[in-house]
């Protein structure tokens, strides 16, 4: 262990990268630690239509995040790829132990985001990656001209279903209620799309197949009726995409930081209950989890880290 950074940012999504940009511009020595690829959930989002200024036709999540990464780097934020296993957050110097090394900083900004919730059906693990997916951008092309089912009724489910219609010959949204949660503007596009069908009041209870997913049991939650959905004989398989919300990546901080349903509680300035520890983006208790709010959180957290360091 050599360097004590001013700030270590955990997570390279919009919140972490915005924090890196602002911390770098404030001339704080900054390290961003990300366990996978930058971007978090927007790295697997095809279309971003509501980030201010994002009007470029065909612009995707990955291209937006690539610019954010570049911008944070330009202002001096260092990057490292590691999985943090344990943290000591109390005390003047915060310590983080990763699989590859140990890291120290005066402040930590937690921007670890959230991961997709499992569908919750029998045999799900067995068919994940073998027909079941949680990322349309990653896996849609495997289902070129096949049938695909999407579980969920929120913005993600409906937007990703529309994206999947570019590949699949038919996309059926399976939703547990009889109306969508997605924003009205998104719903309108889906209802107008001739390739999209709906199974209302329904949940997937079991998936099956040989090597690949080829059948599932869907339950009508109102009548209790069970329906078996089989792959078309010529296809031999179908796709099932889950978009039913997210779980926060906060297990590392359990028992240390105040939380609500696994999301970290902060004040308006991103302070957690531990001095020098901030949280930003989807990991936080908040009302709107979007790229724009994540980026704003990251900026605020970095500026608060700067104030914290100046006053210590
Ligand atoms: P979400 O808004 O929480 O919606 C989850 C959907 O999955 C709901 O329709 C819910 O049904 C359903 N669901 C939850 N648990 C289920 C279960 N166990 N079995 C079956 N269905 C289940 O999640 P999201 O769509 O991932 O969006 C997360 C956040 O990101 C939201 O704030 C959303 O607005 C935002 N987002 C925004 C955009 C955009 O603005 N372009 C795009 C993507 C996401 P019920 O409706 O019955 O609760």
């Amino acid at each position: 262990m050599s360097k004590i950074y001013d700030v270590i940012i955990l997570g390279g999504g919009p919140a972490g990268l915005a924090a890196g940009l602002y911390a770098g511009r404030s001339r704080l020595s900054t390290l961003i630690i990300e366990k996978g690829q930058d971007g978090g959930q927007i790295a697997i989002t095809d279309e971003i239509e509501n980030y201010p200024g994002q009007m470029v036709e065909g612009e995707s999540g990955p291209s937006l995040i690539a610019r954010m990464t570049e911008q944070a780097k330009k202002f001096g934020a260092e990057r490292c790829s590691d999985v943090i296993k344990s943290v000591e957050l109390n005390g003047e110097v915060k310590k983080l132990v990763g699989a590859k090394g140990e890291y120290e900083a005066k402040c930590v900004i937690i921007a670890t985001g959230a991961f997709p919730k499992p569908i919750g059906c029998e045999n799900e693990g067995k068919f994940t990656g073998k027909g079941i997916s949680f990322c349309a951008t990653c896996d849609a092309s495997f289902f070129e001209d096949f049938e695909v089912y999407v579980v969920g009724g929120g913005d993600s489910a409906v937007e990703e279903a529309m994206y999947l219609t570019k590949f699949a010959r038919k996309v059926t949204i399976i939703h547990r209620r009889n109306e969508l949660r997605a924003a009205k503007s998104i719903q309108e596009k889906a209802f107008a799309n001739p390739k999209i069908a709906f199974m209302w009041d329904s949940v997937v209870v079991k998936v099956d197949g040989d090597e690949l997913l080829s059948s599932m049991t869907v339950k009508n939650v109102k009548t209790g009726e069970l329906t078996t959905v089989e792959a078309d004989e010529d296809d031999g398989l179908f796709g099932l995409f889950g978009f039913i919300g997210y779980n926060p990546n906060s297990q590392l901080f359990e028992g240390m930081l105040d939380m609500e349903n696994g999301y970290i509680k902060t004040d308006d300035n991103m302070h957690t209950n531990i001095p020098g520890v901030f949280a930003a983006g989807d990991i936080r208790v908040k009302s709107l989890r979007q790229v724009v709010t994540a980026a704003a959180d990251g900026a605020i957290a970095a500026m608060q880290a700067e104030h914290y360091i100046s006053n210590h």
Side-chain angles (χ1 to χ4, degrees):
M1 202 156 0
S2 48
K3 182 168 179 177
I4 298 179
Y5 286 91
D6 289 325
V7 190
I8 288 180
I9 298 161
L10 283 179
L17 293 170
L21 161 65
Y22 274 76
R25 282 182 79 232
S26 301
R27 302 286 179 261
L28 300 178
S29 61
T30 304
L31 175 67
I32 301 173
I33 303 177
E34 164 62 50
K35 66 174 190 293
Q37 59 173 351
D38 275 1
Q41 288 168 54
I42 80 157
I44 55 170
T45 303
D46 176 54
E47 197 185 334
I48 308 275
E49 64 171 19
N50 52 0
Y51 187 67
Q54 179 84 353
M55 294 282 288
V56 184
E57 192 65 34
E59 178 96 283
S60 66
S63 54
L64 175 63
I65 211 74
R67 292 204 303 275
M68 288 188 184
T69 297
E70 206 45 48
Q71 203 177 7
K73 217 187 277 173
K74 179 178 152 196
F75 286 104
E78 291 176 35
R79 258 295 308 257
C80 125
S81 176
D82 201 352
V83 180
I84 300 303
K85 306 277 190 196
S86 66
V87 293
E88 281 175 43
L89 298 177
N90 289 305
E92 294 291 305
V93 176
K94 323 292 182 195
K95 294 187 176 63
L96 295 88
V97 180
K100 296 183 191 163
E102 295 186 17
Y103 311 89
E104 290 188 334
K106 295 174 193 164
C107 291
V108 172
I109 298 175
I110 301 165
T112 45
F115 62 93
K117 275 188 194 166
I119 294 166
C121 59
E122 199 180 328
N123 290 340
E124 182 167 0
K126 194 171 156 197
F127 290 98
T128 298
K130 292 179 177 169
I132 296 183
S133 169
F134 298 91
C135 174
T137 318
C138 318
D139 296 330
S141 61
F142 295 130
F143 299 100
E144 185 88 53
D145 211 28
F146 283 92
E147 279 202 50
V148 154
Y149 295 81
V150 166
V151 181
D155 289 340
S156 301
V158 181
E159 280 194 338
E160 299 305 311
M162 284 190 291
Y163 174 68
L164 284 160
T165 61
K166 295 180 192 173
F167 300 83
R169 68 169 183 273
K170 183 181 175 194
V171 178
T172 304
I173 295 178
I174 302 173
H175 183 37
R176 66 181 176 180
R177 291 188 293 133
N178 63 2
E179 61 177 353
L180 298 171
R181 176 181 293 279
K184 289 284 180 282
S185 65
I186 298 174
Q187 292 193 25
E188 284 161 12
K189 287 188 201 168
F191 289 136
N193 189 322
K195 278 184 152 187
I196 296 185
F198 294 88
M199 283 175 90
W200 301 110
D201 300 314
S202 299
V203 294
V204 179
V205 289
K206 188 179 177 190
V207 288
D208 233 320
D210 293 327
E211 269 298 290
L212 298 171
L213 177 66
S214 61
S215 85
M216 67 180 164
T217 309
V218 177
K219 181 180 173 181
N220 183 304
V221 293
K222 285 200 172 143
T223 62
E225 186 189 352
L226 297 174
T227 306
T228 304
V229 176
E230 300 276 3
D232 185 276
E233 213 169 295
D234 290 338
D235 294 343
L237 66 98
F238 59 80
L240 179 63
F241 286 77
F243 298 109
I244 60 168
Y246 297 88
N247 285 323
N249 274 318
S250 62
Q251 297 84 334
L252 205 52
F253 314 105
E254 269 167 20
M256 292 178 212
L257 296 178
D258 291 345
M259 294 188 196
E260 192 179 299
N261 298 323
Y263 291 93
I264 298 172
K265 285 187 184 177
T266 68
D267 66 10
D268 289 347
N269 284 322
M270 312 302 140
H271 295 243
T272 69
N273 55 303
I274 299 182
V277 179
F278 306 86
D282 286 5
I283 191 69
R284 230 164 54 78
V285 174
K286 63 195 297 193
S287 62
L288 184 63
R289 294 192 173 87
Q290 299 274 291
V291 180
V292 64
T293 59
D297 284 1
I300 295 168
M303 296 319 291
Q304 290 297 312
E306 202 262 333
H307 292 321
Y308 174 86
I309 289 167
S310 313
N311 295 325
H312 272 73

